[in-house]
């Protein structure tokens, strides 16, 4: 009989190499002990830069003694799970220390804690709004300087000849600015690359991503996104705001900065994953609100990407943080625009108001909107597939920081060259009248009083280009201009996403969709007799933008509300909803969403909302990892140190068992204790012998565990003498005496629901006598979503 064996390892920076990941057990319980020893000793390693993995999926017969076969290429497909990532302990550890603290707290103490949560959410919204305001002002000022310099140069050499100098100037300026942003990302904080939305999705899903919510990451993210947008890349600054808000929330809620080594001695009660993850949800929502001026959309984004176990009060706090964020940004931008009190800039991107009569839609247009949704799904699937293979290429060949910087500079220079070439050869000249509010109009070879329409799309920040496509008068763009712009910007945006720069994909997606959506409206008006009356180009630009964005990111509920709030017109709610649903259905038929693809490429054990549809025949026995490393309630210190030091296991949760005195029956489950707890106990020398001899200074408290959170020291830094190894440690007071357990025959969907609904990290599988027979972790469940034939392969292997 064949078994399916999986194991991975991921080596990163020196400070992360010792981080323990979730255990990665095998499938079949009957064969697991022997195969587990095989995997610990064997397994060929394939290295690409900082990434090292082993083949995840091999069929091993009972006659084979070791894993065989080196992978011929880097395993870039979805059949990977990385030991780099741990789960969050969202479930409270209800040990004796925790229960005693909760019982000592008065009603007024709980009320004060609730008030503190509201205060923290208010601070999160305020600081996130300030960061968004800083990014917006910096981009407007720096991009304005760049475009004015290039514009003056172009106007100068248009008359005397030598426009190649203008091209070189534009390309050099873009490449230089992008080089700065790429250097700080590639060399100082690689986790700050991209939008950060996949990482925050994973965090809200319950996965601890190394370095994702650190202060250094925030600084690099903010500076990097300014350089990316000012450098003219096909990116937006809205996506990174979600990551920035999450980092702000993680820092403010803890009342200290581990990076700066400053402890303000406030909010100490919130120093645990349960509270921190809730505040990170509020930070992500505040980031969405600051980016799009959509507080309700921010709440729905955090709810859609987070867990389903929120309570009503938490939702209200998240909404409060979102409202404070958008108000803060609005208020300070009104001061910047020298119009204090004019709260007309709720977000970084302002779609403008769709209030004209021509913008209304008719019933017979709904099929056209659905067709546009299908087009958006197809184009989104193409975008995601191209970006997937481009990311694989980067993993293989562009993994060194210097190469990543050079690639970013190359993309910036090519973007400037393509933009200049498209503007140079375009003959789409439009009259520059009082109704046109182009920020940097280029005349180039157009007649006096006219401007180059292609320059409106390329020679501008992406946000302004989106607004011009939404609201410029009919006839502003000719079909050829829109078609060429859509084609070139599509491939530029696809090439750009995934570079070692801080950048988002929201605005490029909206810009691409707005371009082909406006083209769609122009063609409708031209082929129908009264099309000029109802086929408003701005309206179809909005629908196309929603279709393209939905086809790429595959968000439905939250994106619908974000688009409705950003447009300020609820009338478009139904068309946008239908378009996003259609784009998702069509796109999912071919490939997953962009963020899901990048999550799989990072080998993150991401849990989806539901268990696989055909998994009811699976039980906890097939899912669990076995044998399980258990600890006695009173355990020898040397045994604990040896278990924690064993690099071949990297377990993070240990069932605690008790043996009935004078009985020959096997030990029974009495609790669960985590690796982090054991390390704190070893650090403080909580030994039975020392307690009896009264050598301990004080009783260990929850504060000691909170002070060590979140960067618990590695076991290698804990010094235990030979005499101390012979001591005993009583785990009764510190273990979770009521861990969640399930029988062996529990179905996989029920196990999955427990994990998703309760935010579990470990689920103990017991027999009828309450004896430990296995342990289910996040990786055990995430593995069943991997690959198109994962369940079929497992079924074949077990028959």
């Amino acid at each position: 009989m064949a078994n399916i064996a999986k194991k991975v390892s991921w080596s990163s920076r020196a400070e992360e190499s010792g981080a323990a990941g979730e255990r990665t057990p095998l499938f079949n319980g009957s064969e697991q002990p022997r195969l587990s020893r095989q995997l610990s000793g064997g397994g060929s390693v394939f290295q690409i830069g900082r990434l090292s993995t082993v083949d995840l999926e091999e069929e091993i017969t009972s006659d084979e003694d070791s894993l065989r076969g080196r992978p011929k290429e880097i395993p870039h497909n979805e059949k990977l799970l990385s030991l780099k990532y741990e789960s969050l302990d969202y479930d409270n550890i209800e040990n004796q220390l925790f229960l005693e603290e909760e019982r000592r707290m008065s009603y007024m103490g709980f009320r004060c804690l609730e008030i503190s949560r509201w205060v923290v959410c208010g601070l999160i919204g305020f600081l996130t709004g300030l960061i968004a305001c800083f990014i917006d002002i910096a981009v407007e000022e720096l991009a304005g300087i760049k475009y004015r310099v290039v514009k003056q140069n172009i106007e100068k050499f248009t008359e005397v000849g030598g426009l190649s100098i203008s091209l070189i100037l534009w390309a050099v300026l873009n490449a230089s600015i992008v080089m700065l942003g790429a250097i700080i990302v590639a060399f100082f904080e690689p986790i700050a690359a991209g939008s950060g939305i996949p990482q925050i999705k994973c965090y809200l899903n319950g996965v601890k991503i190394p370095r994702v919510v650190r202060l250094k990451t925030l600084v690099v993210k903010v500076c990097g996104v300014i350089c990316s947008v000012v450098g003219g890349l096909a990116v937006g600054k809205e996506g990174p705001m979600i990551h920035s808000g999450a980092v702000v929330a993680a820092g403010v809620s803890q009342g200290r900065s581990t990076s700066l080594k400053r402890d303000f001695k406030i909010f100490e009660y919130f120093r645990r994953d349960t509270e921190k993850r809730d505040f990170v949800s509020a930070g992500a929502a505040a980031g969405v609100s600051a980016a799009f001026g959509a507080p309700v959309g921010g709440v729905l984004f955090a709810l859609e990407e987070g867990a389903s176990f929120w309570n009503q009060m938490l939702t209200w706090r998240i909404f409060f943080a979102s409202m404070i964020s958008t108000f803060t940004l609005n208020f300070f931008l009104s001061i910047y625009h020298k119009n204090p009190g004019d709260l007309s800039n709720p977000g970084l991107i302002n779609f403008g108001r769709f209030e004209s009569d021509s913008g209304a839609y008719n019933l017979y247009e709904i099929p056209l909107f659905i067709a546009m949704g299908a087009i958006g799904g197809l184009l989104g699937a193409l975008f995601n597939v191209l970006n997937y293979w481009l990311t694989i290429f980067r993993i293989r060949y562009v993994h060194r920081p210097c190469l990543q910087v050079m690639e970013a500079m190359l993309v910036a220079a090519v973007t400037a060259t393509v933009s200049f070439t498209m503007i140079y050869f375009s003959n789409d000249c439009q009259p520059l009248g009082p109704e046109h509010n182009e920020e940097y109009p280029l005349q180039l070879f157009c007649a006096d009083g006219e401007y180059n329409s292609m320059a409106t799309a390329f020679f501008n920040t992406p946000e302004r280009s989106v607004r011009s496509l939404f609201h410029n008068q009919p006839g502003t763009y000719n079909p050829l201009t829109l078609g060429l712009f859509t084609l070139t910007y599509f491939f530029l945006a696809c090439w750009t996403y995934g570079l070692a720069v801080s950048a988002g994909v929201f605005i490029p997606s909206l810009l691409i969709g707005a371009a082909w959506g406006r083209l769609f409206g122009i063609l409708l008006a031209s082929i129908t007799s009264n099309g000029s009356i109802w086929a408003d180009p701005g309206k179809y630009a909005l629908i196309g933008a929603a279709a393209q964005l939905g086809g790429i990111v595959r968000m439905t509920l939250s994106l619908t509300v974000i688009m409705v709030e950003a447009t300020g017109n609820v009338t478009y709610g139904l068309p946008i909803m239908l378009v996003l649903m259609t784009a998702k259905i069509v796109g999912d038929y071919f490939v997953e969403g962009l963020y899901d693809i990048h999550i799989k490429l990072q080998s993150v054990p991401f849990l989806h909302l539901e268990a696989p549809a055909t998994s009811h025949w699976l039980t906890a026995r097939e899912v669990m990892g076995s044998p399980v490393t258990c600890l006695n309630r009173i355990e020898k210190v040397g045994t604990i140190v040896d278990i924690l030091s064993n690099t071949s296991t990297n377990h993070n949760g240990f069932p605690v068992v008790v043996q009935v005195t004078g009985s020959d029956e096997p030990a029974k489950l009495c609790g669960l204790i985590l690796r982090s707890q054991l390390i704190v106990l070893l650090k403080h020398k909580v030994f039975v012998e020392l307690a009896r001899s009264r050598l301990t200074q004080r009783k260990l408290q929850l504060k000691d565990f909170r002070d060590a959170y979140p960067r618990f020291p590695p076991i290698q830094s804990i010094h235990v003498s030979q005499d101390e190894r012979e001591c005993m440690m009583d785990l009764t007071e510190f273990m979770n005496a009521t861990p969640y357990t399930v029988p062996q025959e529990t179905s996989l969907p029920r196990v999955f629901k427990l994990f998703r609904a309760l935010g579990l990290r470990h689920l103990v599988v017991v027999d009828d006598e309450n004896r430990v027979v296995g342990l289910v972790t996040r990786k055990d469940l995430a593995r069943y979503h991997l690959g198109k034939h994962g369940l079929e392969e497992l079924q074949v292997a077990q028959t």
Side-chain angles (χ1 to χ4, degrees):
M1 304 301 173
N3 292 282
I4 297 176
K6 298 190 177 186
K7 180 182 181 244
V8 300
S9 63
W10 188 301
S11 61
S12 184
R13 299 183 174 183
E15 64 264 29
E16 296 170 0
S17 59
E22 288 291 313
R23 56 183 307 171
T24 313
L26 310 179
F27 279 123
N28 193 317
S30 61
E31 297 288 336
Q32 278 168 343
R34 182 179 59 80
L35 286 177
S36 178
R37 290 192 294 271
Q38 290 177 352
L39 283 171
S40 299
S44 52
V45 177
F46 184 77
Q47 296 185 349
I48 291 289
R50 297 193 185 100
L51 174 68
S52 64
T53 60
V54 298
D55 202 2
L56 282 172
E57 196 161 287
E58 293 188 60
E59 291 191 358
I60 303 177
T61 63
S62 57
D63 298 330
E64 291 174 330
D65 297 325
S66 61
L67 294 178
R68 63 184 188 275
R70 179 182 297 272
K72 298 180 181 179
E73 60 180 13
I74 180 171
H76 56 263
N77 59 23
E78 62 270 15
K79 300 179 186 299
L80 282 171
L81 287 179
S82 174
L83 289 177
K84 176 183 178 181
Y85 304 107
E86 299 182 34
S87 296
L88 296 171
D89 294 301
Y90 192 78
D91 182 46
N92 280 323
I93 303 170
E94 290 193 353
N95 54 20
Q96 293 182 18
L97 295 181
F98 176 80
L99 294 177
E100 289 174 3
E101 182 184 73
E102 296 291 304
R103 289 163 184 164
R104 286 196 304 266
M105 193 175 299
S106 63
Y107 176 78
M108 186 57 65
F110 282 109
R111 297 300 299 172
C112 290
L113 280 177
E114 188 64 22
I115 293 174
S116 299
R117 292 188 179 97
W118 284 91
V119 171
V120 171
C121 287
L123 288 174
I124 291 170
F126 178 73
L127 294 176
T128 303
L130 284 182
I131 291 173
C133 184
F134 171 75
I135 291 175
D136 191 58
I137 293 175
V139 168
E140 288 294 326
E141 293 295 328
L142 296 177
I145 294 173
K146 186 194 78 170
Y147 285 124
R148 283 192 292 270
V149 169
V150 176
K151 182 176 182 293
Q152 293 172 2
N153 193 273
I154 291 176
E155 291 174 348
K156 172 184 175 182
F157 286 101
T158 301
E159 300 175 358
V160 301
L163 279 173
S164 58
I165 299 177
S166 301
L167 169 60
I168 294 173
L169 174 65
W170 192 0
V172 169
L173 283 176
N174 277 12
S176 301
I177 298 171
V178 169
M179 179 185 69
L180 178 61
I183 286 176
I184 61 176
V185 170
F187 286 94
F188 293 97
E189 196 51 82
I191 196 67
S195 65
I197 295 179
Q199 291 87 343
I200 298 305
K201 284 186 63 172
C202 294
Y203 193 96
L204 297 181
N205 190 260
V207 182
K208 185 185 299 182
I209 307 295
R211 312 175 69 87
V212 73
V213 289
R214 293 191 183 178
L215 178 62
K216 182 180 177 182
T217 304
L218 175 63
V219 174
V220 173
K221 174 72 73 174
V222 170
C223 297
V225 72
I226 292 173
C227 293
S228 300
V229 178
V230 175
L233 293 176
V235 299
K237 56 182 182 289
E238 284 69 23
M241 274 308 306
I242 300 173
H243 189 183
S244 300
V247 179
V248 169
V252 171
S253 64
Q254 304 304 290
R256 66 178 177 184
S257 172
T258 52
S259 300
L260 300 178
K261 296 181 173 58
R262 292 291 304 275
D263 192 342
F264 300 100
K265 304 297 182 182
I266 57 175
F267 308 136
E268 294 182 354
Y269 184 84
F270 304 143
R271 294 175 185 176
R272 48 180 170 156
D273 287 342
T274 306
E275 300 284 350
K276 187 175 180 179
R277 184 179 171 190
D278 289 344
F279 288 121
V280 169
S281 300
V288 173
S289 180
F292 298 97
V296 179
V299 175
L300 292 177
F301 172 84
L303 180 61
E304 190 175 7
E305 304 301 342
S308 57
F309 41 84
W310 283 4
N311 55 55
Q312 182 179 6
M313 194 56 67
L314 172 60
T315 307
W316 271 108
R317 290 198 300 269
I318 293 175
F319 183 57
F320 176 67
S322 299
M323 291 298 299
I324 294 295
S325 175
T326 190
F327 175 79
T328 301
L329 174 65
N330 219 340
F331 176 74
F332 283 100
L333 283 183
S334 69
I335 297 176
Y336 168 70
H337 293 301
K338 299 179 181 179
N339 195 6
D342 179 20
L343 305 181
S344 59
N345 296 282
L348 296 181
I349 174 66
N350 185 3
F351 289 169
R353 299 289 177 178
F354 287 79
E355 297 176 346
S356 62
D357 295 336
S358 60
Y361 67 93
N362 299 291
L363 184 63
Y364 54 81
E365 291 183 86
I366 291 181
L368 296 176
F369 296 154
I370 295 176
M372 292 180 69
I375 295 173
L378 291 173
L379 292 178
L382 176 61
F383 185 98
N384 293 350
V385 169
L386 293 176
N387 189 264
Y388 171 80
W389 288 110
L390 187 59
T391 304
I392 298 304
F393 176 84
R394 287 181 175 130
I395 292 175
R396 288 185 179 181
Y397 303 111
V398 196
H399 51 270
R400 297 180 183 275
C402 56
L403 295 178
Q404 293 172 347
V405 174
M406 293 175 62
E407 184 195 17
M409 294 175 62
L410 174 64
V411 174
V414 170
T415 301
T417 303
V418 170
S419 302
F420 186 88
T421 304
M422 298 288 290
I423 296 171
Y424 182 85
F425 288 103
S426 174
N427 58 359
D428 185 7
C429 296
Q430 302 293 336
L432 185 60
E435 70 278 5
H436 294 278
N437 54 354
E438 313 304 330
E439 187 70 19
Y440 311 105
L442 283 180
Q443 179 179 354
L444 209 59
F445 301 117
C446 295
D448 292 339
E450 294 183 339
Y451 70 98
N452 189 299
S453 183
M454 182 71 79
T456 304
F458 275 115
F459 197 72
N460 222 329
T461 58
E463 289 81 5
R464 292 186 180 275
S465 299
V466 170
R467 284 201 300 273
S468 68
L469 288 170
F470 283 167
H471 297 290
N472 276 13
Q473 297 296 321
T476 305
Y477 300 91
N478 66 37
L480 181 60
T481 297
L482 292 173
L484 292 176
F485 174 80
T486 300
L487 183 64
T488 55
Y489 206 82
F490 180 90
F491 290 105
L492 286 176
C494 184
W495 188 14
T496 303
Y497 190 80
L499 293 175
V501 295
S502 299
V505 75
F506 274 91
I507 296 303
S509 303
L510 291 173
L511 187 51
I512 295 168
W516 67 257
R518 192 177 181 95
L519 174 62
F520 190 88
I522 293 174
L523 295 180
L524 281 178
S526 64
I527 62 177
T528 56
S529 58
N530 60 344
S532 58
I533 300 176
W534 55 267
D536 179 62
K539 172 178 60 179
Y540 281 89
L542 173 65
I543 299 301
Q548 185 65 54
L549 182 56
I552 291 177
V553 302
R554 310 291 166 75
M555 295 161 57
T556 51
L557 177 62
S558 60
L559 192 55
T560 299
V561 178
I562 289 172
M563 295 291 291
V564 170
E565 287 186 280
T567 56
N569 192 340
V570 73
T571 305
Y572 290 106
L574 178 63
I576 291 175
M577 182 185 70
L578 294 175
V579 164
L580 291 176
M581 290 176 58
T582 305
K584 177 175 172 57
I585 293 172
V586 173
D588 284 344
Y589 182 81
F590 298 98
V591 69
E592 290 182 302
L594 184 65
Y595 298 141
D596 295 322
I597 288 175
H598 281 264
I599 287 172
K600 280 193 174 183
L601 287 173
Q602 292 297 317
S603 311
V604 180
F606 189 88
L607 291 186
H608 296 265
L609 289 176
E610 300 290 342
T614 57
S615 62
H616 283 81
W617 59 272
L618 292 171
T619 64
R621 183 186 296 111
E622 285 79 28
V623 177
M624 68 184 186
S626 177
V628 182
T629 302
C630 298
L631 298 174
N632 293 312
R633 189 171 61 183
I634 300 179
E635 188 61 85
K636 192 176 180 181
V637 172
T639 302
I640 295 176
V641 172
D642 292 339
I643 290 175
L644 297 182
S645 302
N646 187 359
T647 57
S648 64
T649 55
N650 288 330
H651 300 341
N652 286 297
F654 302 92
V656 181
V657 296
V658 59
Q659 183 78 38
V660 180
T661 305
S663 174
D664 295 333
E665 294 183 4
K668 296 184 178 181
L669 177 70
C670 66
L672 181 74
I673 196 164
L674 302 178
R675 171 184 290 266
S676 58
Q677 294 176 285
L678 293 172
I679 287 178
V680 174
L681 296 178
L682 290 173
K683 179 181 179 181
H684 289 274
K685 312 293 183 184
V686 185
F687 306 149
V688 174
E689 288 77 6
L690 294 180
R692 289 174 180 172
S693 61
R694 298 182 180 179
L695 295 178
T696 52
Q697 298 295 324
R698 61 177 176 83
K699 182 181 178 181
L700 205 63
Q701 300 176 352
L702 278 182
K703 183 179 185 302
D704 298 296
F705 293 91
R706 290 167 181 161
D707 288 342
Y709 177 86
R711 302 185 194 179
F712 295 97
I715 185 61
Q716 290 79 9
S717 66
I718 307 296
H719 175 69
V720 179
S721 65
Q722 191 62 38
D723 292 337
E724 291 173 336
R725 289 179 59 89
E726 301 301 321
C727 295
M728 305 299 290
M729 184 182 292
D730 189 353
L731 306 178
T732 305
E733 190 177 9
F734 312 101
M735 68 182 184
N736 183 0
T738 55
Y740 290 99
T741 62
V742 292
Q744 301 179 72
E745 300 304 323
T746 305
S747 66
L748 175 59
R750 180 169 291 272
V751 171
F752 198 92
K753 288 179 181 178
L754 284 174
F755 261 82
R756 286 289 288 152
L758 301 176
L760 299 183
R761 185 177 184 182
H762 303 94
L763 184 62
V764 184
V765 183
V766 296
D767 59 11
D768 296 337
E769 302 296 329
N770 200 36
R771 294 172 296 198
V772 179
V773 296
L775 192 68
V776 180
T777 66
R778 168 177 290 270
K779 281 191 173 66
D780 300 321
L781 299 180
R783 188 178 294 120
Y784 288 89
H785 282 281
L786 304 182
K788 296 181 179 179
H789 308 290
L791 291 174
E792 290 80 357
E793 290 175 352
L794 177 61
Q795 189 175 18
V796 171
Q798 293 178 338
T799 53

